[in-house]
Amino acid sequence: MNPFRRHFLVCITNRPPSVQHSCGARGATELLAAMQKAADRKGLRELFGTAVTGTTCLGLCETGPNVVVYPENLWYGGVQPENAREIIESHGVEGVAVARLLHPDVDRDASENAS
Ligand code: FES
């Protein structure tokens, strides 16, 4: 059973900057709220079976805020709240990733073959 056709996982881990980089310290909570608001506005869950969920550390803390999208296994890096609407409308609704926001350090070969 797949509860969602697509799932956006937004890292919202927050650490003091003196300890380690974290997405939460770079605006991830605001990003998650903006993505969920945009998703609600577009009826993403009801119409497209797509969810936006906050999650803990995804392991690429230096380049956050990070978002990973399943089932494509596509990663966005350095995402800001002002990018939320574009990601939701393009990737969430149209199924087209926002290429300029994709994480530069994540191999896309596997995800390109996943669709
Ligand atoms: S804190 Fe977000 S990836 Fe580690």
Side-chain angles (χ1 to χ4, degrees), residues 11-13 15 20-24 56-61 64 66:
C11 174
I12 54 171
T13 295
R15 301 183 189 100
Q20 185 181 346
H21 293 293
S22 67
C23 297
T56 55
C57 182
L58 296 168
L60 297 175
C61 316
N66 294 304

Side-chain angles (χ1 to χ4, degrees), residues 27-84:
T29 302
E30 294 81 4
L31 170 63
L32 174 62
M35 288 184 70
Q36 288 180 326
K37 184 176 179 181
D40 287 348
R41 199 177 295 131
K42 289 293 180 181
L44 218 61
R45 188 181 289 250
E46 298 80 12
L47 299 177
F48 300 95
T50 296
V52 179
T53 305
T55 188
T56 55
C57 182
L58 296 168
L60 297 175
C61 316
E62 302 265 333
T63 56
N66 294 304
V67 178
V68 64
V69 188
Y70 288 106
E72 299 101 315
N73 188 28
L74 273 178
W75 288 66
Y76 291 99
V79 185
Q80 296 302 307
E82 56 266 29
N83 304 128

